[in-house]
Amino acid sequence: MATQQLESKWEGKFIANRKHPKAEQVWPLLEDFFNFHNWLPNIDTCHQINSNNKDETIRYCASTAPPLSSDNGEAIIKWCHEKLLTVNKIERCLSYEVLDNNIGIRSYVSTLKVLASDGADEGGCQIEWSFVADPIDGLTLELFSGYVESSLQGMAENIEKALESSKLGDFVSSN
């Protein structure tokens, strides 16, 4: 029933397993709330914006979509303001919610966690991305979940590549 779907919340949880980086190497990269664009493949910019409440931490994230033929050749900028809700350094997780945006999101709360991999090997970790959201006009839960899952996998790959290709991994693990 369509009314039922409109009233219910969307929920999802996805995990990216990484074989080499340790949770303590990955966490500092995700903990930086304003560094999201360096890891998430489809975000062009991410930076802090001023809030009327000094106790709030809010970021602006945006991506540029190629122009549609109906848009007179102008690129489309999709953006949102996101408020940091919690950071737990011991549990290696953070939560945020989407505030203002131009992409049709009414309510969205997300949690990112970095977990040590189960098993006897010393390396590896899991990055978990969960969300609760109101349905988004023009999307299905399956499409939105596919977007979140592919974003998570891309983010995990970018983090792993950065740690492997630089001394960043050694630096992070030694501090």
Side-chain angles (χ1 to χ4, degrees):
M1 188 167 149
T3 309
Q4 183 71 21
Q5 182 179 359
L6 290 176
E7 293 175 4
S8 65
K9 294 279 189 184
W10 286 355
E11 295 184 44
K13 179 166 76 170
F14 303 96
I15 295 173
N17 292 300
R18 307 318 298 168
K19 289 184 179 180
H20 300 292
K22 297 178 183 178
E24 56 270 13
Q25 292 173 302
V26 172
W27 169 245
L29 304 180
L30 287 180
E31 179 186 25
D32 183 350
F33 192 59
F34 308 112
N35 209 16
F36 214 45
H37 63 293
N38 289 327
W39 315 122
L40 199 61
N42 44 355
I43 300 294
D44 300 327
T45 186
C46 180
H47 56 83
Q48 185 171 8
I49 60 173
N50 293 329
S51 169
N52 293 335
N53 182 343
K54 294 182 188 214
D55 294 330
E56 290 182 336
T57 302
I58 299 176
R59 68 183 176 193
Y60 167 85
C61 293
S63 64
T64 305
L68 301 172
S69 59
S70 62
D71 290 331
N72 298 325
E74 291 188 28
I76 300 166
I77 297 175
K78 297 180 178 182
W79 61 269
C80 62
H81 294 160
E82 299 174 341
K83 176 181 162 185
L84 183 64
L85 299 175
T86 62
V87 175
N88 185 323
K89 294 173 187 271
I90 294 168
E91 295 288 325
R92 290 188 292 260
C93 69
L94 67 82
S95 295
Y96 66 92
E97 71 176 321
V98 172
L99 302 174
D100 296 333
N101 65 88
N102 71 345
I103 51 180
I105 296 174
R106 291 186 300 269
S107 172
Y108 175 88
V109 176
S110 179
T111 300
L112 291 168
K113 294 181 183 180
V114 181
L115 307 161
S117 286
D118 294 334
D121 59 355
E122 289 189 26
C125 70
Q126 296 179 331
I127 303 171
E128 179 183 288
W129 186 335
S130 61
F131 69 87
V132 176
D134 283 343
I136 301 169
D137 292 340
L139 289 178
T140 63
L141 174 57
E142 292 75 23
L143 282 172
F144 185 69
S145 293
Y147 168 79
V148 172
E149 185 172 24
S150 67
S151 296
L152 171 61
Q153 297 303 328
M155 180 172 63
E157 289 170 18
N158 288 342
I159 288 171
E160 187 168 35
K161 285 177 191 172
L163 289 169
E164 287 175 354
S165 67
S166 73
K167 295 295 179 188
L168 185 58
D170 295 332
F171 174 76
V172 170
S173 64
S174 66
N175 285 329

